[in-house]
């Protein structure tokens, strides 16, 4: 498991991570959520021993990463999918990584299958789409068959099929009892992917709870629908304790996802012409939550980051 205790990282005057504490348990997919610049990558780099904390500590299985024996078999990470020799094929990249880590060659073909790289494994990386690079990065992270997986924005660049595939893979890895931590700046991505959420804003912890609890804290799920029988649908939704309002020919439901609303519509035999999750509102609520929290706890902040990320 991963434990972060009082973790703080300062770059000059900028506080990238600010007294952060949380634990990531095995057997679950944990989403690390926060707007861009919130400190997610920095935290992950600190967990992986790629940077030193200003204070506090980050532990993997009770130890700092640097003192782990055989770290590549314990922890697999996808940090920046761009960091691959462009002239090499995906397979060659994985073979070099496997050899360096003293891992068996056959593992390369296993992870190529796991990551769904297929025929692309033989092609040069410079011709890869961002989605293929992500898959290659995920394949590399899985090489050592590690019990802890850390993925920074793995959904970035994946197409819909890729997102579905990744969700399945993360679920499988968690079901195998592994510790799975993935970051994203988009709530909608995490909503369907993570069992638990650790939410941060400007380096500080905002929420650490199940995904459902965090969503409830933001006003819960919402759905929008259109139906030729609005009165009956409104009555049925209200009868089930949901708040439903008509806006023109659209009904907005609070406290239920599109999936839950579709079950209600099916039960009572009301046809739907449109049904969607109200993710936009939730995304807004999440941004407000991260901003409000910071204002409340630390007073006025400089409006721009003091040091651009590129100046590492
Ligand atoms: P996230 O991953 O949530 O987008 P980061 O961890 O990349 O956030 O960045 C958090 C803050 O720390 C940002 O303000 C960023 O500009 C700053 N930062 C990150 N790395 C460095 C660095 N090496 N030098 C200076 N500032 C940095």
């Amino acid at each position: 498991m991963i434990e972060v205790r009082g973790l703080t990282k300062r770059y000059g005057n900028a506080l990238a991570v600010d007294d952060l504490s949380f634990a990531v348990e095995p057997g679950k997919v944990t989403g690390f959520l926060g707007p861009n610049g919130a400190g997610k990558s920095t935290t992950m780099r600190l967990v992986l021993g790629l940077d030193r904390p200003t204070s506090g500590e980050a532990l993997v299985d009770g130890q700092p990463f640097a003192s782990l024996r055989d770290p590549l078999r314990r922890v697999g990470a996808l940090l920046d999918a761009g960091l691959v020799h462009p002239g090499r094929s995906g397979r060659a990249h994985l073979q070099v990584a496997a050899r360096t880590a003293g891992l068996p060659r056959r593992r390369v073909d296993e992870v190529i299958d796991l990551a769904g790289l297929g025929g692309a494994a033989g092609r040069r990386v410079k011709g890869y789409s961002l989605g293929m690079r992500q898959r290659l990065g995920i394949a590399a992270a899985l090489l050592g068959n590690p019990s802890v997986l850390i993925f920074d924005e793995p959904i970035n660049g994946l197409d819909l099929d890729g997102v579905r595939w990744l969700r399945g893979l993360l679920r499988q890895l968690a079901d195998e009892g592994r510790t799975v931590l993935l970051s994203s700046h988009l709530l909608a991505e995490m909503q369907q992917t993570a069992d638990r959420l650790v939410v941060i804003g400007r380096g500080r912890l905002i929420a650490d709870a199940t995904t459902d609890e965090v969503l409830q804290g933001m006003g819960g799920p919402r759905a929008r629908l259109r139906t030729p029988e609005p009165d009956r649908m409104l009555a049925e939704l209200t009868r089930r304790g949901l708040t439903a309002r008509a806006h023109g020919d659209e009904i907005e439901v609070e406290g239920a996802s599109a999936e839950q609303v579709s079950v209600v519509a099916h039960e009572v035999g009301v046809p739907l012409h449109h049904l969607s999750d109200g993710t936009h509102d939730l995304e807004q609520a999440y941004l407000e939550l991260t901003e409000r929290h910071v204002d409340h706890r630390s007073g006025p902040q400089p409006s721009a980051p003091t040091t651009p990320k590129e100046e590492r």
Side-chain angles (χ1 to χ4, degrees):
M1 80 184 256
I2 303 168
E3 285 166 281
V4 164
R5 295 191 197 140
L7 194 67
T8 300
K9 179 68 187 180
R10 188 180 279 284
Y11 292 108
N13 287 329
L15 212 45
V17 177
D18 186 2
D19 194 19
L20 198 55
S21 300
F22 63 87
V24 186
E25 293 165 21
K28 294 186 184 115
V29 177
T30 301
F32 193 23
L33 181 66
N36 281 325
K40 304 180 295 296
S41 300
T42 304
T43 303
M44 288 177 153
R45 291 169 52 79
L46 291 168
V47 171
L48 292 165
L50 295 169
D51 220 333
R52 281 163 174 276
T54 305
S55 58
E57 58 182 2
L59 306 176
V60 178
D61 295 339
Q63 290 173 43
F65 184 89
S67 11
L68 285 178
R69 284 177 55 204
D70 227 353
L72 291 182
R73 292 174 196 258
R74 304 281 285 275
V75 188
L78 165 75
L79 284 190
D80 186 341
L83 294 177
V84 174
H85 192 304
R88 270 191 196 139
S89 70
R91 174 175 281 105
H93 170 71
L94 293 169
Q95 281 167 346
V96 171
R99 202 177 316 132
T100 310
L103 296 165
R105 230 184 135 84
R106 62 177 158 71
R107 186 65 189 152
V108 170
D109 286 315
E110 288 171 13
V111 297
I112 286 172
D113 280 348
L114 271 174
L117 273 172
R123 295 206 313 263
R124 282 170 202 264
V125 172
K126 69 176 163 206
Y128 280 20
S129 64
L130 178 55
M132 292 312 290
R133 282 172 196 252
Q134 295 286 50
R135 286 180 186 252
L136 179 60
I138 290 165
L142 294 172
L143 265 179
N145 200 15
S147 56
V148 175
L149 287 151
I150 297 179
F151 296 149
D152 196 3
E153 300 269 0
I155 298 179
N156 234 349
L158 293 180
D159 58 15
L160 257 183
D161 275 349
V163 174
R164 247 177 253 135
W165 159 79
L166 181 65
R167 287 200 177 118
L169 177 69
L170 295 169
R171 173 64 42 218
Q172 180 192 329
L173 294 168
D175 287 348
E176 289 166 358
R178 297 176 214 258
T179 302
V180 182
L181 179 68
L182 78 154
S183 74
S184 172
H185 62 288
L186 296 173
L187 175 66
E189 278 181 356
M190 290 282 117
Q191 205 180 337
Q192 298 169 62
T193 310
D195 305 311
R196 292 189 63 86
L197 290 177
V198 172
V199 187
I200 64 168
R202 304 230 188 166
R204 293 186 173 192
L205 188 71
I206 292 175
D208 178 3
T210 67
T211 304
D212 286 345
E213 284 164 351
V214 172
L215 293 176
Q216 288 298 334
M218 294 183 212
R222 279 162 188 255
R224 288 167 188 275
L225 62 99
R226 275 200 299 276
T227 168
E229 299 183 39
D231 292 342
R232 197 146 80 81
M233 194 61 191
L234 275 173
E236 289 294 344
L237 291 166
T238 313
R239 205 161 63 78
R240 284 167 170 75
L242 298 166
T243 307
R245 286 186 212 94
H247 300 282
D249 65 343
E250 202 171 72
I251 294 178
E252 196 176 273
V253 190
E254 277 176 32
S257 64
E259 199 175 308
Q260 291 164 313
V261 170
S262 80
V263 172
V264 174
H266 182 74
E267 272 172 20
V268 298
V270 169
L272 296 182
H273 290 171
H274 170 89
L275 176 64
S276 62
D277 277 313
T279 42
H280 176 72
D281 292 335
L282 214 49
E283 210 62 51
Q284 191 57 38
Y286 148 64
L287 284 177
E288 281 167 15
L289 178 77
T290 50
E291 279 160 19
R292 189 175 62 225
H293 178 90
V294 168
D295 287 347
H296 169 69
R297 282 190 49 179
S298 59
Q301 294 278 334
S303 55
T306 22
T307 319
K309 201 169 174 172
E310 284 69 31
E311 285 181 15
R312 275 178 194 182

